[in-house]
Structure formats: structure tokens, C-alpha cells
Amino acid sequence: MSQIELVSEFKCFEGRQAHYKHQSKHLNCSMRFGIFLPPQAEVARVPVLYWLSGLTCTDENFVQKAGAQRMAAELGVAIVTPDTSPRGENVADDPNYDLGQGAGFYLNATQEPWKAHYRMYDYVVEELPELIEAEFKVNKKRSVCGHSMGGMGALVVALRNTHRYQAVSAFSPIVNPTQVPWGDKAFSHYLGDDKSLWRLQDPCELLSWADASQPLPMLIEQGSDDQFLKEQLKTDAIALAAQKKGYPITINYRSGYDHSYFFIASFIDSHLKFHAEHLY
Ligand SMILES: N[C@@H](CCC(=O)N[C@@H](CS)C(=O)NCC(=O)O)C(=O)O
């Protein structure tokens, strides 16, 4: 029996863009996700790119604003877009945009009142791929990409599970969350005082422990006029961590671009091509 329920569906570049809902066992609530299935999925199993969005986003922002479907249809890559946190009346929340619903930070919370539902790490790494691979005509080749908080999430899930992903990329990621206000606030609330748990959510820390002899293909895109670059994103920190470790990463600084989906839309095709190279 199917575990998912169709919410909406549109034909798009000869494929289809759909949204579904399902009951998540890890998050303990109903969740929505988007999936773009390219036309190739009619005849063969296709690989999947998971997209992790940033603060305040749902499963819709990327789908509506990034303009990724045209290239994904050409390359034969499915794109799955989960929501950014558990949701619902019974799920803990906070009035600020950077904590609670819409700000799950792709981690497993250990603290009250968050720990009953906030397990986005397990959801993204285990539950969602299992569901997608059971319900859709996809194969087990996966890669992951994200923006800002989701860029951090993509780097974290990939660096902690290199065997599960073929490649990782990120737009404007929070690369060193243990050292910046967004991460400090979220990790204090969700993870408490145990700094060893904080480090497991920090791409720079994870990179310092990574096996540089078997690097995961990694691409980062960063706008030079991003309003969050200096205080929250600190892209140079991951460049330094990678250099120290001898871990190959491509970081493209793009002059004049900001933090918005206009930046993502401008470079999404090159990220899709990067992923397709490693997924096929
Ligand atoms: N609301 C926050 C920023 C939130 C924000 O920029 N969110 C980014 C991700 S970090 C986003 O993608 N927003 C949704 C959108 O642009 O569609 C603020 O104004 O300071």
C-alpha cells in the first residue's frame, strides 16, 4: 500500500512536478515534499538530487523560484524537495524566523521542547530516501544540494554519509555554524551545551576529520554581495579548512550576487550538470 498522498501535480518539461504528503515516523507528524520526475523516469529508473532549502522555506520555494526543472528534464535527474522542519499545531515553534518551524537545521534535537519532532537529520538521510526509492521510479544514486541553512545541511549529511551520496553542492551555505549567530542560537536550543553534538553539524569541523584521499565531489557557489556573508556564512572558513586538509573543493565567488533565489536561478544549471556528471 502506498505511504504517500498526492497533493498537486503539473506536467512540466515533458516530466511532472508533484507534491505529496505522508506521515513521517522520525518527525512524528505529517510532512509534505515536492518531486520533479524528468521524462526519462517513464522508461527507466533515474537518480535523485535532494534539495535542502533555507530558513523560512517550505517544500515550495525551490520548486517555484529556482527554475531547475528544464535542465533536470534534459539531464534525466529527479529532484526531491523536503520541507525545512516538522510542522503542525502540536509541533513546538518559536515566533522568530530562525528557530522552530521553518528552521529545523537538519539535525536531531536532544532538548525539550524540540526533541519529540525535530529530527530532520534522520528524516533526510534515512526516511525520505527510503520512501522515495520505494514509491517512485528512481534508482539508489543520490546527491544533495542546498541553500544557506540547507547548504549547511547538504554539506553535513554528505560529509557524514559519503557512502550514500555521489556528490554535494551548496549555494550560500552556513559553513561554520558553531562560530556564527544563526548556528549558536539554533544549536543552543536544539542540542543544549554538548559541543561535541554541535561539531557534528558543522561542515568545517566535519571536513577536518574527512578522508581527503577519497573526497566527495564538492561545489560551493557564493554571491559576493550576499547580505549574510560576513556575519553568518563565512565561506572563507571552509576554503581554509579544505586547504589545510588537502580536500578538493570548488568554490565560485560570484560578483554582485546576493542571497536570494535570483542568485540560485542564475547558477542552478551548472550545479545540475555537476550532479548529473556524478550520478550517471
Ligand atoms: N527572513 C530573514 C531571512 C530569511 C531568508 O533569507 N531566507 C532564505 C534562506 S536563508 C530564503 O530562501 N528565503 C525564502 C525565499 O527567498 O523564497 C530575514 O529577513 O532576515
Side-chain angles (χ1 to χ4, degrees):
M1 206 185 80
S2 176
Q3 308 164 67
I4 56 175
E5 189 185 326
L6 186 65
V7 176
S8 63
E9 183 175 33
F10 303 93
K11 186 164 183 180
C12 183
F13 296 107
E14 300 301 324
R16 67 185 182 101
Q17 175 65 57
H19 288 262
Y20 289 85
K21 61 181 179 182
H22 75 113
Q23 187 61 31
S24 163
K25 58 179 192 289
H26 279 108
L27 301 175
N28 199 14
C29 65
S30 176
M31 288 296 284
R32 284 173 52 117
F33 65 85
I35 182 165
F36 174 71
L37 286 160
Q40 295 84 341
E42 297 286 333
V43 292
R45 291 191 176 272
V46 297
V48 184
L49 171 64
Y50 290 83
W51 170 270
L52 307 183
S53 282
L55 290 165
T56 73
C57 290
T58 67
D59 53 314
E60 291 276 0
N61 301 63
F62 179 82
V63 169
Q64 301 283 352
K65 292 176 156 183
Q69 291 94 344
R70 181 193 298 268
M71 184 55 72
E74 223 172 88
L75 297 168
V77 174
I79 305 178
V80 171
T81 50
D83 202 345
T84 52
S85 75
R87 293 202 194 254
E89 277 179 18
N90 299 325
V91 174
D93 199 8
D94 186 275
N96 293 305
Y97 76 95
D98 52 2
L99 190 68
Q101 296 187 32
F105 276 81
Y106 304 100
L107 50 72
N108 293 335
T110 57
Q111 302 298 301
E112 299 290 358
W114 312 105
K115 65 181 188 187
H117 298 279
Y118 285 74
R119 301 189 64 82
M120 286 299 287
Y121 178 85
D122 282 352
Y123 180 69
V124 165
V125 174
E126 287 171 22
E127 183 174 359
L128 191 58
E130 214 171 274
L131 185 73
I132 298 296
E133 287 158 23
E135 298 281 351
F136 297 97
K137 203 156 178 191
V138 299
N139 60 35
K140 288 186 190 302
K141 291 262 174 79
R142 312 171 195 113
S143 67
V144 62
C145 181
H147 174 225
S148 195
M149 170 184 76
M152 177 208 77
L155 293 166
V156 166
V157 302
L159 282 164
R160 285 172 63 177
N161 301 276
T162 49
H163 58 292
R164 292 179 74 94
Y165 299 99
Q166 308 295 315
V168 57
S169 78
F171 289 82
S172 336
I174 308 168
V175 297
N176 205 181
T178 57
Q179 306 301 320
V180 304
W182 273 340
D184 189 59
K185 177 173 175 181
F187 294 173
S188 305
H189 284 269
Y190 294 137
L191 303 174
D193 296 335
D194 185 349
K195 294 283 163 94
S196 65
L197 295 181
W198 291 36
R199 287 195 281 275
L200 284 173
Q201 296 299 137
D202 186 314
C204 284
E205 293 277 350
L206 293 168
L207 202 57
S208 73
W209 309 324
D211 181 358
S213 70
Q214 291 188 308
L216 196 64
M218 196 178 288
L219 169 65
I220 291 178
E221 215 69 33
Q222 179 59 55
S224 68
D225 284 8
D226 186 323
Q227 59 272 39
F228 298 114
L229 177 57
K230 284 199 182 78
E231 195 191 0
Q232 305 280 10
L233 308 178
K234 295 190 186 287
T235 318
D236 286 349
I238 201 163
L240 195 65
Q243 195 188 25
K244 263 194 201 158
K245 188 77 190 178
Y247 200 105
I249 309 190
T250 302
I251 304 180
N252 298 320
Y253 287 95
R254 302 294 188 181
S255 172
Y257 286 90
D258 71 1
H259 195 68
S260 70
Y261 267 88
F262 293 108
F263 170 52
I264 297 171
S266 302
F267 295 99
I268 192 67
D269 281 3
S270 63
H271 280 240
L272 289 165
K273 286 180 189 159
F274 164 78
H275 286 282
E277 262 170 38
H278 298 286
L279 288 166
Y280 273 99

